[in-house]
Amino acid sequence: MVPAPRSPVDLQATLAAITAPVKLVFFTQTFGCDSCLAARQIVDHIASLSDQITVEEFNLVLDKDQVDRYGVQRAPAIAVVGDIDAGIRFYGAPEGHELVSLVEAITLVASGDSGLSEESRVLIAAVDQPIDIQVFATPT
Amino acid sequence: MALENTHITASAVAAIEYPDLVREYRVTGVPKTVVNERVEILGAEPEASFVAHVLEALA
């Protein structure tokens, strides 16, 4: 597994080490989104730490094509997209543990390697129907 | 898991910001994982056990 960054310095070093492009597709909403600004600032900060990370911003209400393309239902939302879109999304401002998870997701997407065991990979490869995993978490 | 199979998608949800989802999925502690709106996993689990639980959603 990719080691999770634990401090701002680690965050910087981890993101600076990424060697493949990752796009953060950010969905915002003009009204009724208290955390959209904070989320956007976090996304911008992360992107500033690596030349490989780019940001695209869309509006949840206005940009229906992109909303459908990425299958997001709420804002703020961040799609972590590499070579392909593996369907990894973050909802809400990624602070604390969530920031660590986001950075880990970025490094995994960049590497294209899940870091899972061979046993797990074999089981997962056999999946031929949709599975949607939602993980609820808090910043601390 | 989402990286390993295109049928699989994964979302991290900041529980504090979505009280409607917290109610809908009866989230009383974190982390809580909900798979296909059906299987619930409470707390963090070792990889093998987590994967097995997620795949229960297809059983």
Side-chain angles (χ1 to χ4, degrees):
Chain A
M1 296 289 279
V2 177
R6 290 192 170 73
S7 72
V9 176
D10 283 348
L11 181 84
Q12 204 160 350
T14 304
L15 290 172
I18 292 172
T19 55
V22 175
K23 186 167 67 173
L24 300 178
V25 186
F26 179 68
F27 288 85
T28 187
Q29 194 174 319
T30 313
F31 300 106
C33 184
D34 292 342
S35 64
C36 277
L37 178 61
R40 174 71 209 219
Q41 286 169 343
I42 293 166
V43 165
D44 284 344
H45 178 61
I46 287 173
S48 75
L49 298 175
S50 166
D51 293 341
Q52 299 285 357
I53 301 175
T54 54
V55 180
E56 281 181 11
E57 179 174 312
F58 297 107
N59 186 292
L60 188 73
V61 178
L62 303 177
D63 298 315
K64 281 293 170 206
D65 288 356
Q66 299 297 331
V67 167
D68 289 346
R69 176 178 172 189
Y70 290 102
V72 297
Q73 302 89 19
R74 291 156 196 277
I78 303 161
V80 183
V81 180
D83 262 0
I84 58 155
D85 178 12
I88 297 174
R89 309 284 182 263
F90 283 76
Y91 289 99
E95 293 169 320
H97 287 317
E98 287 294 271
L99 177 59
V100 174
S101 298
L102 175 60
V103 170
E104 190 170 332
I106 292 169
T107 56
L108 291 176
V109 164
S111 70
D113 181 357
S114 68
L116 294 175
S117 70
E118 194 51 40
E119 290 80 4
S120 295
R121 287 178 207 244
V122 169
L123 289 170
I124 295 163
V127 171
D128 59 2
Q129 299 166 58
I131 291 185
D132 180 54
I133 304 170
Q134 289 176 287
V135 182
F136 290 87
T138 53
T140 52
Chain B
M1 292 183 70
L3 275 178
E4 292 289 339
N5 189 313
T6 54
H7 293 292
I8 302 177
T9 54
S11 308
V13 183
I16 291 171
E17 295 184 38
Y18 300 104
D20 56 327
L21 292 179
V22 165
R23 271 193 300 276
E24 184 179 346
Y25 294 108
R26 299 181 305 279
V27 178
T28 52
V30 291
K32 176 169 177 173
T33 304
V34 180
V35 187
N36 285 4
E37 319 227 331
R38 203 159 73 79
V39 172
E40 300 187 350
I41 303 168
L42 295 174
E45 292 193 338
E47 178 188 315
S49 144
F50 185 83
V51 169
H53 275 133
V54 168
L55 297 182
E56 280 175 13
L58 298 179

